[in-house]
Amino acid sequence: MRIVPFVFIAAMLVTAGVAVARQQSTFQPVGTMSQLMIDIIYPTSDDIFYIERTPPANDRDWAAIERSALILAESGNLLMMPGRARDQGDWIKDSKMLVDAGTAAFKAAKAKDLAAVVALNEQLVAACTTCHMQYRQNYRRRQ
């Protein structure tokens, strides 16, 4: 007996959809969007933004910058979680910009390259402001 290709493909898509649905159901968001921003993203991004104020002077300082950059990169992934992503277009694109900036900062910190971390400020600013302009109510609007 021969399976019709269309039926086979449809069955595969349904199976894949069920697998994705099961995977998504394992996520359990704990904090609110505001808590993620205020308690995780802002402090770790500030560590990158203001690194020149108190440059890392030893391995322990660099390890703290690495940790902040890693948390920042992974925060972009948290923003893309089902239930948190506001949409599948710009929100995902902007979140990936945060992942990219945090990943680059993590690599630069691992290399203990202060100039490279500082050079990432514009990329990080772009990731933050692009998203905030679209999704944060009253962002940069004077009242």
Side-chain angles (χ1 to χ4, degrees):
M1 182 170 172
R2 185 172 174 208
I3 298 175
V4 178
F6 176 78
V7 173
F8 179 74
I9 291 171
M12 292 300 290
L13 290 173
V14 168
T15 302
V18 169
V20 168
R22 284 185 189 151
Q23 180 184 17
Q24 290 176 348
S25 67
T26 62
F27 293 118
Q28 296 179 342
V30 176
T32 65
M33 185 64 64
S34 180
Q35 289 169 318
L36 286 178
M37 290 293 167
I38 293 168
D39 297 333
I40 297 174
I41 297 173
Y42 289 168
T44 57
S45 64
D46 283 351
D47 290 344
I48 306 304
F49 283 136
Y50 304 118
I51 192 170
E52 288 182 299
R53 288 183 180 173
T54 310
N58 54 47
D59 288 345
R60 184 177 178 182
D61 293 347
W62 277 110
I65 297 298
E66 282 181 43
R67 189 169 38 256
S68 289
L70 178 62
I71 292 168
L72 188 60
E74 292 294 351
S75 294
N77 289 320
L78 290 174
L79 296 175
M80 292 186 275
M81 283 177 55
R84 286 211 175 110
R86 302 281 167 92
D87 60 55
Q88 294 299 304
D90 288 336
W91 183 271
I92 298 299
K93 184 178 78 174
D94 296 343
S95 298
K96 287 180 180 179
M97 287 174 59
L98 183 60
V99 172
D100 292 344
T103 300
F106 178 69
K107 290 176 182 177
K110 283 191 82 59
K112 298 179 177 143
D113 188 342
L114 180 62
V117 175
V118 171
L120 291 164
N121 274 344
E122 288 182 35
Q123 184 179 352
L124 185 54
V125 166
C128 296
T129 58
T130 300
C131 186
H132 289 179
M133 289 176 77
Q134 293 181 65
Y135 297 101
R136 188 172 159 198
Q137 190 175 15
N138 297 319
Y139 182 70
R140 290 195 174 178
R141 292 186 188 134
R142 294 185 186 255
Q143 295 184 359

